[in-house]
Amino acid sequence: MTKARTRWPRQRDAEAPLPSEGPAPSLAAVRPTELETCLRACAAHSGKLVAGLDRRRTALAEALRNLLATHAAMERPPAAAAPAPLLRRTAKEASGAALILGDRLMDPLLAVGNKALDCGYEDELKLAALVADTVLTQRTRSRAAWRLRARVLEAMGAEADAVEAYERYLALTDDDGFGIAARTAGLRAGAERQGELLRMLERDRPEAAGFAGGPVTDTWAEGLALHARGDWNRARSRLIGALLAQDRSGAPVPEIQEALAHYLGLALEAGGAPGSGATAPTAPGNGDAAHLTELIALYAAQRRSRMRGPVADPTFGGVEWITLGEFRNQIAGKSICLIANSQRVGTGSLGAEIDAYDLVVRFNSYRIDPAATGSRTDIHASIHKHGFNWDQQVHTRLVFGGLAGDWKQSLRTRLVPGAQRYLGDESLRWPLRDIGKVTADVWPSIPTSGFNMLWLLDHLDVSPRLDLIGFDFYESGAYRLPAAMKMPITSVHEYTSEKAWVMERAQSVTDTRIRLR
């Protein structure tokens, strides 16, 4: 396959084709990358993106524009001088001094990396990897960059290297709010099950090792041709040989998984008989069918481990699902306060007043300082994408998420057994959209956890008192767990619209409290 020459200066070695045989070079080591190199790559990539229907690339384009505009503003000359072209080399740069990655550019650069990763395409994954390497070249202890790098490596199928990067992230944090430990354990378990499956296949066909030294594509094609002619006995040796060659050459994990699934499907078609050339289905109870069942079970186990990690307690401490109707009955007739994760709360002294409400609702990565925030949390409302405070004891936990599949996977991987008595079911997953039927045409932005919760309580309308404490929509800044304070206030939400909605319904407003009932 012919590769196009890369546009990225001093990164052309990254485009060198991998050798067809032998293990692939490790991606674990950070490639030292100058900030200027990364900025030029971002500028080139921004020029390639065009308006279209792919919302992920649209989000990346916006992140790139923000990054380049931020950099241009930092390099802008005095007002009397003519504006400098984007990325024009200054005298300092021309002298050979490298650009320094300052705090002002850090968040926009990481935002580009994360948006590029979300796209999932090859070019964007390379850009995300370049961003991670750029940050880690200057900031070797950046947790956000190590996590980004690990996720990029995982998306590329380099799981062993991804595990190493995830472990670097875990070594730098005390609060695993993103569930990285479980993710890492799942990747390790998945690799073990995959290895066990391949070893079992090799034991079934020792002669397959003789085909593991040839080109994978050719060997696989020969096996498919033999299968098409009805010679499953010889086909298996070549197909398994191709699988072994993939594994030994360090092929991306998704490619190996796809080939394994294809092989098992062909085995089912052929009757599932290791050592048999039969093409008719094997009768239930046959030993060959039992062996194929064992192979399929191993395949399912490695896929499941990678998707959700190990689940020590499938019942999660006996947690009970709670429906929309049951949640309504739970809060009916009770006074409720919703506590914002804002500096207005963190620097205040309303702790005793907050704890006096019947129910206290907190959000995502809330932080407790009893004198300022109160000490109780009865209901924890969180977006599914991270697991901050999921280990804290609460009566009810509502987890919000727009995509049902991602939401379910997050519950499997992040829910802590025994940390909640009740858990909101799918009827409470995405209140504004699913219950209120408020579409993106009416409310274009993604609703925050706070707004989803507030909208739900207002919609149910069964609380005699409903107060918002510290809701200034981040005008005073965030007050969150230390690990979460590193995360930027996301731009996917539209706080102005949420504030307008609240103020239209407010009964009274003070500096610290908005009363809706």
Side-chain angles (χ1 to χ4, degrees):
M1 180 181 295
T2 302
K3 281 187 173 287
R5 186 175 67 182
T6 177
R7 302 179 184 179
W8 299 356
R10 289 187 291 281
Q11 291 294 318
R12 290 178 182 146
D13 57 328
E15 292 293 309
L18 297 178
S20 57
E21 306 301 331
S26 173
L27 299 174
V30 173
R31 294 182 180 224
T33 307
E34 295 178 5
L35 177 57
E36 182 190 1
T37 297
C38 185
L39 289 171
R40 290 185 180 278
C42 289
H45 201 89
S46 179
K48 293 190 300 182
L49 292 176
V50 296
L53 299 178
D54 192 328
R55 60 178 179 81
R56 295 170 298 180
R57 276 185 162 155
T58 300
L60 171 59
E62 180 59 33
L64 284 165
R65 283 193 293 270
N66 181 50
L67 169 67
L68 297 173
T70 302
H71 177 263
M74 293 168 62
E75 298 295 322
R76 186 173 295 133
L86 182 64
L87 297 181
R88 187 182 70 179
R89 292 175 66 82
T90 64
K92 182 179 180 181
E93 294 168 30
S95 68
L99 292 177
I100 302 301
L101 177 58
D103 292 342
R104 186 175 172 188
L105 210 57
M106 182 74 165
D107 286 344
L109 185 58
L110 286 171
V112 166
N114 283 295
K115 295 301 181 184
L117 174 60
D118 289 343
C119 290
Y121 306 115
E122 182 179 2
D123 284 350
E124 279 74 20
L125 288 179
K126 290 178 181 177
L127 180 62
L130 189 69
V131 168
D133 284 347
T134 300
V135 176
L136 291 172
T137 297
Q138 296 195 25
R139 302 192 180 194
T140 58
R141 294 178 59 82
S142 170
R143 292 175 297 183
W146 277 114
R147 179 170 171 265
L148 171 62
R149 194 167 195 279
R151 293 170 65 213
V152 172
L153 291 171
E154 185 180 350
M156 290 178 167
E159 281 191 358
D161 297 326
V163 167
E164 182 177 332
Y166 277 134
E167 288 175 340
R168 292 292 298 271
Y169 166 84
L170 289 171
L172 295 170
T173 184
D174 296 325
D175 191 346
D176 186 17
F178 293 102
I180 300 302
R183 185 70 182 158
T184 304
L187 294 178
R188 289 187 183 280
E192 291 174 2
R193 299 290 81 75
Q194 178 180 294
E196 187 178 348
L197 173 56
L198 289 169
R199 289 192 298 272
M200 188 177 293
L201 289 173
E202 188 173 10
R203 288 196 301 269
D204 290 345
R205 283 282 170 167
E207 67 273 19
F211 298 98
V216 172
T217 303
D218 293 345
T219 305
W220 187 263
E222 291 173 8
L224 293 179
L226 288 168
H227 169 71
R229 293 198 295 267
D231 192 350
W232 176 239
N233 204 32
R234 294 172 60 201
R236 291 181 65 245
S237 298
R238 286 161 177 78
L239 294 174
I240 294 175
L243 287 168
L244 296 176
Q246 273 189 306
D247 180 58
R248 293 170 186 176
S249 65
V253 170
E255 292 182 11
I256 298 177
Q257 290 184 334
E258 182 180 359
L260 280 170
H262 193 179
Y263 171 82
L264 293 173
L266 295 175
L268 283 171
E269 290 179 13
S276 169
T279 57
T282 306
N286 183 284
D288 292 335
H291 182 73
L292 180 57
T293 299
E294 186 178 2
L295 292 173
I296 293 173
L298 271 175
Y299 175 80
Q302 61 93 21
R303 288 297 299 268
R304 185 166 53 248
S305 295
R306 287 182 164 109
M307 288 177 63
R308 74 182 190 190
V311 180
D313 179 6
T315 66
F316 294 101
V319 63
E320 297 181 35
W321 290 106
I322 187 171
T323 66
L324 173 61
E326 290 166 339
F327 180 73
R328 177 188 182 279
N329 294 337
Q330 185 183 99
I331 66 172
K334 297 180 179 178
S335 62
I336 302 177
C337 67
L338 292 78
I339 311 302
N341 298 339
S342 69
Q343 285 291 337
R344 197 175 297 266
V345 172
T347 58
S349 56
L350 296 177
E353 292 185 42
I354 290 171
D355 284 338
Y357 285 81
D358 295 330
L359 296 174
V360 178
V361 182
R362 302 187 195 272
F363 304 98
N364 296 309
S365 52
Y366 68 86
R367 182 175 173 182
I368 294 293
D369 174 3
T373 68
S375 57
R376 282 181 32 234
T377 305
D378 302 295
I379 301 172
H380 178 217
S382 175
I383 190 66
H384 76 91
K385 291 186 176 182
H386 57 66
F388 292 111
N389 286 317
W390 286 35
D391 59 341
Q392 297 301 302
Q393 291 284 336
V394 297
H395 184 267
T396 301
R397 182 163 278 113
L398 301 185
V399 180
F400 299 135
L403 299 176
D406 292 349
W407 175 79
K408 290 176 182 177
Q409 183 173 336
S410 292
L411 293 183
R412 294 189 187 106
T413 58
R414 295 195 171 106
L415 203 65
V416 178
Q420 56 282 306
R421 181 176 177 184
Y422 296 104
L423 175 67
D425 73 355
E426 196 153 2
S427 67
L428 291 162
R429 173 176 59 82
W430 207 225
L432 182 68
R433 304 293 194 208
D434 294 345
I435 300 172
K437 305 302 180 184
V438 179
T439 65
D441 294 337
V442 178
W443 194 277
S445 62
I446 298 175
T448 62
S449 298
F451 188 70
N452 260 313
M453 188 74 220
L454 171 60
W455 183 93
L456 176 63
L457 295 174
D458 182 76
H459 172 77
L460 293 175
D461 196 19
V462 292
S463 303
R465 185 172 179 183
L466 184 57
D467 290 352
L468 284 63
I469 295 181
F471 273 72
D472 57 10
F473 305 91
Y474 288 113
E475 291 177 2
S476 63
Y479 183 77
R480 305 184 288 200
L481 289 173
M485 288 297 288
K486 294 289 185 179
M487 299 166 57
I489 297 173
T490 179
S491 60
V492 301
H493 306 303
E494 215 290 282
Y495 299 104
T496 302
S497 297
E498 295 188 2
K499 181 178 181 180
W501 187 95
V502 169
M503 292 307 178
E504 287 176 2
R505 292 159 177 78
Q507 301 290 322
S508 65
V509 179
T510 68
D511 287 343
T512 57
R513 196 187 321 257
I514 302 173
R515 179 159 295 173
L516 297 187
R517 297 286 188 279

